[in-house]
């Protein structure tokens, strides 16, 4: 594997450039589309991309409304949560992304972003703030704690919210209540004005190493581990096995291998390179066992 040259940034010397670039790098970020309410009944709806799921027992989501840089004031979402420590986290999919963005406009406190963005408020069951009817998944949460990192504009305020109720559109679930990941059609925040969309075409699975003890890249045969053809991802796939497989003679019946051995019978180095290219193609097609057999060909 080859490594490209890097350039170093830190916040003290690069300031706003650092602040901008890190949002491109730490991405994609899921969107917390938060609906809240104050003691007077004023509703606020606003998205935050500093957000994720942080605990399973209890189920905890954490998101962070930043204190405004220009005037050092807190967002209306944060003010509301301090008065009524409850929030609905409405998950954002592609069909609602433009309206979600519109709701991020800094309207005056008395303005209801449901009206401005055109979303439909519906009552929650266990908490006061309304849910967004158009959202595919709505999480009713009770706020456990708010942690302000430091004073001043741009600082984070970590809202630790326990999920007490979850609503999911029925079309997303099968008869066993398994979620259709592709049908969810999620979007996520990137840097600048960029977003990304989770579609069926760009979904892929990675076998969980927790199911078995992989041998690790360090235990791969040297000619595989030091390959200039196989990528890091491909080495990771090969190393996620419990033991190097035994060579099976039946692989020699493979037409591609037969052709390569005939073509490069007098050039062992080139033959090894071509076999690795063939194995790389098989790995990209998730044919891991066959790729191993190709790499074991002498």
């Amino acid at each position: 594997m080859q490594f490209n040259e890097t350039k170093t940034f830190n916040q003290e010397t690069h300031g706003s450039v650092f602040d901008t670039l890190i949002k491109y790098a730490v991405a994609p970020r899921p969107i917390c589309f938060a609906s809240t309410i104050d003691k007077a009944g004023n509703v606020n709806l606003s998205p935050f991309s500093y957000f994720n799921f942080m605990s399973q027992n209890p189920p905890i989501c954490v998101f962070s409304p930043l204190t405004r840089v220009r005037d050092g004031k807190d967002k209306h979402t944060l003010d509301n949560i301090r008065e009524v420590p409850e929030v609905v986290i409405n998950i954002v999919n592609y069909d609602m992304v433009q309206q979600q963005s519109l709701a991020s406009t800094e309207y005056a406190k008395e303005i209801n972003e449901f009206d401005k963005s055109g979303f439909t408020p519906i009552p929650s069951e266990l908490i006061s703030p309304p849910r967004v009817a158009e959202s595919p998944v709505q999480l009713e949460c009770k706020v456990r704690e708010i942690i302000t990192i430091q004073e001043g504009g741009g600082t984070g305020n970590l809202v630790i919210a326990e999920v007490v109720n979850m609503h999911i559109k029925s079309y997303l679930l099968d008869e066993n209540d398994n979620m259709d990941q592709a049908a969810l059609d999620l979007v996520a925040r990137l840097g600048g004005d960029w977003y990304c969309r989770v579609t069926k075409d760009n979904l892929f699975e990675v076998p969980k190493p927790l199911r078995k003890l992989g041998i690790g890249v360090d235990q791969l045969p040297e000619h595989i581990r030091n390959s200039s053809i196989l990528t890091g991802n491909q080495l990771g796939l090969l190393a996620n096995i419990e033991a190097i497989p035994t060579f099976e003679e039946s692989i020699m019946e493979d037409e591609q291998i037969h052709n390569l051995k005939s073509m490069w019978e007098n050039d062992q180095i080139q033959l090894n390179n071509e076999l690795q290219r063939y194995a790389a193609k098989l790995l990209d097609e998730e044919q891991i066992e066959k790729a191993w057999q190709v790499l074991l060909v002498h």
Side-chain angles (χ1 to χ4, degrees):
M1 292 184 291
Q2 296 181 344
F3 301 97
N4 295 323
E5 185 178 333
T6 62
K7 186 175 180 179
T8 301
F9 297 84
N10 65 66
Q11 194 172 40
E12 278 192 19
T13 57
H14 293 92
S16 62
V17 173
F18 178 95
D19 295 342
T20 298
L21 291 178
I22 198 168
K23 295 174 187 176
Y24 282 81
V26 185
R29 300 183 301 279
I31 301 167
C32 169
F33 198 25
S35 44
T36 58
I37 194 168
D38 67 11
K39 285 184 177 179
N42 297 307
V43 171
N44 183 268
L45 181 64
S46 186
F48 302 93
S49 71
Y50 296 160
F51 160 61
N52 221 310
F53 184 56
M54 298 296 181
S55 168
Q56 190 167 320
N57 184 24
I60 296 290
C61 287
V62 175
F63 69 99
S64 180
L66 298 188
T67 300
R68 283 194 290 265
V69 174
R70 70 171 186 275
D71 59 10
K73 293 183 178 179
D74 289 332
K75 301 287 182 70
H76 297 148
T77 296
L78 199 58
D79 292 337
N80 286 358
I81 286 173
R82 285 177 173 141
E83 290 188 21
V84 180
E86 299 173 342
V87 58
V88 179
I89 297 174
N90 305 278
I91 301 301
V92 178
N93 68 0
Y94 184 75
D95 287 343
M96 55 188 291
V97 66
Q98 297 293 346
Q99 288 172 277
Q100 167 268 156
S101 179
L102 180 58
S104 69
T105 304
E106 292 189 3
Y107 295 110
K109 183 173 175 57
E110 65 273 11
I111 300 297
N112 187 333
E113 286 85 0
F114 273 95
D115 295 334
K116 289 295 184 182
S117 60
F119 283 122
T120 307
I122 54 175
S124 295
E125 294 181 357
L126 301 180
I127 62 174
S128 300
R131 297 177 279 141
V132 174
E134 290 81 0
S135 172
V137 180
Q138 306 133 20
L139 309 177
E140 296 184 32
C141 304
K142 293 189 176 181
V143 175
R144 283 190 163 208
E145 188 177 0
I146 301 171
I147 301 173
T148 298
I149 296 174
Q150 65 180 27
E151 297 301 318
T155 196
N157 300 277
L158 307 185
V159 177
I160 300 174
E162 180 177 351
V163 182
V164 295
N165 223 9
M166 178 167 60
H167 308 268
I168 303 174
K169 300 286 188 181
S170 297
Y171 75 88
L172 294 169
L173 303 171
D174 65 14
E175 62 276 7
N176 297 313
D177 287 340
N178 294 314
M179 179 85 77
D180 185 337
Q181 183 68 78
L184 192 51
D185 202 11
L186 293 171
V187 295
R189 194 76 168 84
L190 303 173
D193 292 336
W194 291 101
Y195 285 72
C196 66
R197 181 180 184 182
V198 181
T199 66
K200 186 175 183 179
D201 291 339
N202 61 33
L203 284 170
F204 63 94
E205 293 183 295
V206 176
K208 282 186 168 53
L210 295 177
R211 296 172 184 168
K212 54 191 174 184
L213 187 62
I215 62 171
V217 171
D218 62 320
Q219 296 301 308
L220 294 175
E222 186 177 358
H223 74 284
I224 296 175
R225 185 175 69 250
N226 295 329
S227 170
S228 61
I229 293 169
L230 298 169
T231 67
N233 275 339
Q234 291 163 346
L235 293 179
L237 285 170
L238 292 169
N240 191 26
I241 59 170
E242 295 177 282
I244 295 175
T246 302
F247 177 67
E248 299 175 6
E249 287 290 342
S250 58
I251 194 66
M252 302 305 292
E253 299 173 7
D254 184 273
E255 183 178 357
Q256 179 74 357
I257 291 178
H258 178 77
N259 291 339
L260 290 175
K261 285 185 73 69
S262 298
M263 186 178 302
W264 303 105
E265 60 181 339
N266 296 320
D267 189 339
Q268 186 63 42
I269 293 177
Q270 188 61 39
L271 174 60
N272 289 338
N273 287 340
E274 294 303 324
L275 288 171
Q276 288 188 7
R277 290 189 179 94
Y278 183 28
K281 178 177 180 294
L282 293 170
L283 289 167
D284 289 343
E285 296 170 354
E286 299 182 0
Q287 299 186 59
I288 300 171
E289 293 180 8
K290 186 173 181 179
W292 257 113
Q293 291 301 314
V294 170
L295 291 169
L296 293 174
V297 170
H298 298 299

